[in-house]
Amino acid sequence: MNILYLVIPCYNEEAVLTETSNRLKVIMENMISSGKISSESRVIMVNDGSKDKTWEIISKLHENNKLFGGIKLSRNKGHQNALLAGLMYAKEHCDMAISLDADLQDDVNAIEKMVDEYLKGNDIVYGVRSSRKTDTFFKRTSAEGFYKFMQILGVDIVNNHADYRLMSRRALESLSEYKEVNLFLRGVIPLIGFNSSIVTYERNERFAGESKYPLKKMLSFAFDGITSFSVKPIRFITLLGFLILACSFIGLIWLLVLKLSGKTVQGWTTLMGSVWFIGGIQIFALGVIGEYVGKIYKEVKARPRYTIETILDDISK
């Protein structure tokens, strides 16, 4: 019988964990009693350096019900690394793993549908939002723009999919071979291949607590995704450089014609405008190139992406 692990990264989620665990307990026990998954299936919560009582709640859940397990990272390493830590632990014990957030925005009723898709022979099942009506206008337009922009850059990414997905054990084994430090799982997973399918769901409002992804983090996450999977921004800078060079040659010819025709040009404004414009482009170009160099710097050091401090799971003992 198939063993299912639910992997849930948690950062300061004390306000929602009790309700989350109650809902997941019902779903897991129903699937176990129906024979769809094994009684050895688990819900693994990964504490990503929380500063509240998140780990205390996870520990208590484990003590009261062995369905729940926990992984405590030594410090905060970010959502993607915490998720990876849980998935890499799960692959040693499960036949399939489903990753989801703790805030109950991902519809937990889609879990069984994902398992059904796995039983049909799919190694990866993507949870895709059916609509964005719960988002603000800004978040909806910026998110849709991000996915379209990524696709323009040539990144193979599933539209309106975050990190709610099922992966089979062999898909997890393949994921473990990707060693990049700058982790963007939404871009990595489609590279794995294998049979895949989609389960649509309606995203809910956050049950309680505050979002862990304010605008600053969302922008940083988006920029990481762009620079981790596409070199087109650098190629765009190269193209822009050629265009500016071509315009410079045309401008030089025009100035020579004016000079030879005896016309004088009082070009202080034009000169200053050109200096500021070209200088701004140069600084921007250096910034983009520097972002890539910085990522190379992080990759070549090959530091561990996370460090596990404690594991709560009877299977691991």
Side-chain angles (χ1 to χ4, degrees):
M1 194 176 295
N2 294 299
I3 299 174
L4 169 66
Y5 267 48
L6 301 184
V7 177
I8 307 173
C10 304
Y11 178 67
N12 294 342
E13 297 288 4
E14 65 177 5
V16 299
L17 280 186
T18 300
E19 180 65 22
T20 300
S21 62
N22 288 337
R23 295 191 192 185
L24 293 178
K25 179 175 178 289
V26 172
I27 289 173
M28 294 292 281
E29 288 180 346
N30 286 342
M31 287 194 291
I32 290 171
S33 62
S34 67
K36 189 166 288 188
I37 62 174
S38 167
S39 59
E40 295 180 9
S41 299
R42 295 287 185 271
V43 178
I44 301 296
M45 298 180 175
V46 184
N47 181 41
D48 185 26
S50 298
K51 298 176 182 178
D52 60 4
K53 296 181 180 179
T54 294
W55 182 245
E56 294 177 27
I57 296 172
I58 294 173
S59 300
K60 189 173 181 180
L61 286 170
H62 175 69
E63 290 175 8
N64 295 335
N65 191 335
K66 301 309 177 185
L67 172 67
F68 296 96
I71 297 174
K72 182 180 181 183
L73 301 188
S74 61
R75 61 182 296 270
N76 178 259
K77 297 295 289 184
H79 178 273
Q80 296 289 279
N81 287 317
L83 181 54
L84 182 70
L87 292 174
M88 291 301 97
Y89 172 76
K91 76 178 176 66
E92 303 297 331
H93 308 286
C94 71
D95 297 299
M96 54 182 163
I98 295 178
S99 59
L100 68 158
D101 290 338
D103 56 16
L104 293 175
Q105 287 189 281
D106 296 328
D107 183 8
V108 295
N109 294 313
I111 290 174
E112 189 166 359
K113 296 177 183 178
M114 290 184 177
V115 173
D116 290 337
E117 290 297 314
Y118 166 80
L119 295 176
K120 292 178 183 177
N122 292 293
D123 287 279
I124 303 174
V125 183
Y126 299 100
V128 175
R129 297 179 62 169
S130 56
S131 69
R132 287 188 169 272
K133 64 183 182 181
T134 58
D135 287 349
T136 63
F137 174 78
F138 173 77
K139 188 170 183 179
R140 180 170 60 253
T141 53
S142 60
E144 291 174 350
F146 168 71
Y147 284 108
K148 289 178 181 177
F149 186 60
M150 291 290 283
Q151 290 166 352
I152 290 171
L153 292 179
V155 181
D156 186 9
I157 189 170
V158 179
N159 197 34
N160 284 328
H161 164 70
D163 288 301
Y164 191 17
R165 71 178 74 86
L166 177 148
M167 298 182 70
S168 68
R169 183 167 187 168
R170 71 168 181 166
L172 292 171
E173 293 285 357
S174 297
L175 176 61
S176 68
E177 297 175 5
Y178 289 78
K179 304 298 183 182
E180 54 246 54
V181 175
N182 301 285
L183 197 60
F184 185 69
L185 290 173
R186 300 178 201 184
V188 171
I189 305 299
L191 297 177
I192 294 174
F194 297 140
N195 291 334
S196 65
S197 64
I198 288 174
V199 168
T200 58
Y201 68 96
E202 192 69 39
R203 190 166 172 84
N204 305 312
E205 296 283 353
R206 184 179 176 86
F207 179 77
E210 297 180 354
S211 172
K212 305 306 182 295
Y213 264 87
L215 178 61
K216 182 179 178 181
K217 279 193 174 182
M218 285 193 294
L219 291 174
S220 176
F221 184 64
F223 199 63
D224 280 344
I226 292 168
T227 53
S228 294
F229 280 87
S230 178
V231 295
K232 285 189 177 180
I234 289 182
R235 290 176 180 170
F236 173 75
I237 289 172
T238 303
L239 176 61
L240 184 62
F242 277 119
L243 290 175
I244 292 174
L245 184 63
C247 290
S248 298
F249 276 118
I250 294 171
L252 180 61
I253 293 171
W254 178 64
L255 289 173
L256 287 174
V257 170
L258 289 177
K259 183 68 175 177
L260 294 174
S261 63
K263 296 179 181 179
T264 58
V265 178
Q266 301 298 323
W268 185 87
T269 302
T270 304
L271 178 62
M272 294 303 295
S274 301
V275 169
W276 281 98
F277 176 70
I278 296 175
I281 290 177
Q282 289 175 329
I283 293 173
F284 173 75
L286 287 173
V288 174
I289 294 169
E291 188 68 25
Y292 280 94
V293 172
K295 280 181 165 47
I296 295 170
Y297 173 67
K298 290 181 180 179
E299 294 291 345
V300 296
K301 285 190 295 186
R303 288 178 178 172
R305 291 171 287 191
Y306 55 84
T307 301
I308 294 176
E309 181 178 322
T310 307
I311 295 178
L312 298 177
D313 186 4
D314 290 349
I315 293 178
S316 65
K317 297 179 181 177

